[in-house]
Amino acid sequence: MKRQDYISWDEYFMGIAMLSAMRSKDNNSQVGACIVSPENKILSLGYNGMPIGCADDDMPWEREGENPLDTKYMYVCHAELNAILNNAHGNLKGARLYVTLFPCNECTKAVIQSGISEIVYLADKYHDTPACEASRRMLKMTHVKVRAYEPTGREIHFTL
Ligand SMILES: [Zn+2]
């Protein structure tokens, strides 16, 4: 008989999105994303971070500042956008995006344009913001499937 205690596809890919988030240098928000093909092959990974060539130590990570140029928002590239842009295979049509936080409107635009057809998200803590409302409107119009990840309570430990 085969082993029964193996992790599900959803656990596998959301787990990888969570692991990717651990690479983030952002003190306040660590988000990870994992994009998979309809055949459950991993196509790309991403986490929120500064653009390539913008040194992490030279960039602002603050959320507030008198000058918007001194906040992270002007510069940070979100996990979903990074995963879309990191995709080496060139085609995300019909792909599924696992992301640890419901996507903002900017990432949603990129999701739609890239051809991703399903989003599985973990947290939705900005649900009531205009950005997330705009995301939901666009996703509904474009028939992108959206579903909340269903936590299983499984704990995974390993030593690196
Ligand atoms: Zn975003």
Side-chain angles (χ1 to χ4, degrees):
M1 227 172 55
K2 73 171 180 182
R3 181 170 159 257
Q4 297 298 313
D5 194 31
Y6 58 92
I7 60 174
S8 69
W9 286 121
D10 271 6
E11 287 176 319
Y12 184 35
F13 298 132
M14 191 57 84
I16 289 169
M18 291 164 86
L19 188 65
S20 302
M22 296 175 81
R23 279 283 306 156
S24 175
K25 320 297 185 305
D26 192 324
N27 276 310
N28 298 110
S29 177
Q30 301 87 41
V31 182
C34 176
I35 301 175
V36 305
S37 76
E39 297 80 29
N40 292 319
K41 293 179 184 174
I42 294 174
L43 300 175
S44 191
L45 300 171
Y47 56 87
N48 57 316
M50 293 296 172
I52 296 166
C54 296
D56 292 326
D57 294 326
D58 299 339
M59 303 300 285
W61 289 98
E62 283 72 32
R63 285 184 291 182
E64 287 163 25
E66 275 180 34
N67 187 342
L69 289 172
D70 297 329
T71 70
K72 66 179 181 178
Y73 299 107
M74 290 287 160
Y75 312 102
V76 167
C77 193
H78 286 177
E80 309 90 306
L81 187 58
N82 269 330
I84 289 167
L85 297 172
N86 287 345
N87 164 47
H89 302 261
N91 187 6
L92 296 179
K93 203 146 186 64
R96 195 155 83 249
L97 166 70
Y98 288 82
V99 62
T100 60
L101 181 62
F102 189 87
C104 75
N105 60 313
E106 293 297 332
C107 289
T108 293
K109 295 176 199 175
V111 164
I112 293 165
Q113 299 301 68
S114 70
I116 288 171
S117 63
E118 184 176 5
I119 297 173
V120 186
Y121 64 91
L122 188 62
D124 190 18
K125 62 178 176 175
Y126 300 115
H127 184 275
D128 296 327
T129 63
C132 288
E133 173 60 27
S135 293
R136 288 191 295 273
R137 284 188 195 184
M138 289 188 278
L139 294 168
K140 195 174 173 195
M141 275 181 206
T142 54
H143 307 290
V144 174
K145 265 179 73 181
V146 182
R147 63 180 165 95
Y149 173 79
E150 288 178 26
T152 61
R154 185 195 291 273
E155 290 193 8
I156 295 175
H157 301 277
F158 42 73
T159 305
L160 295 169

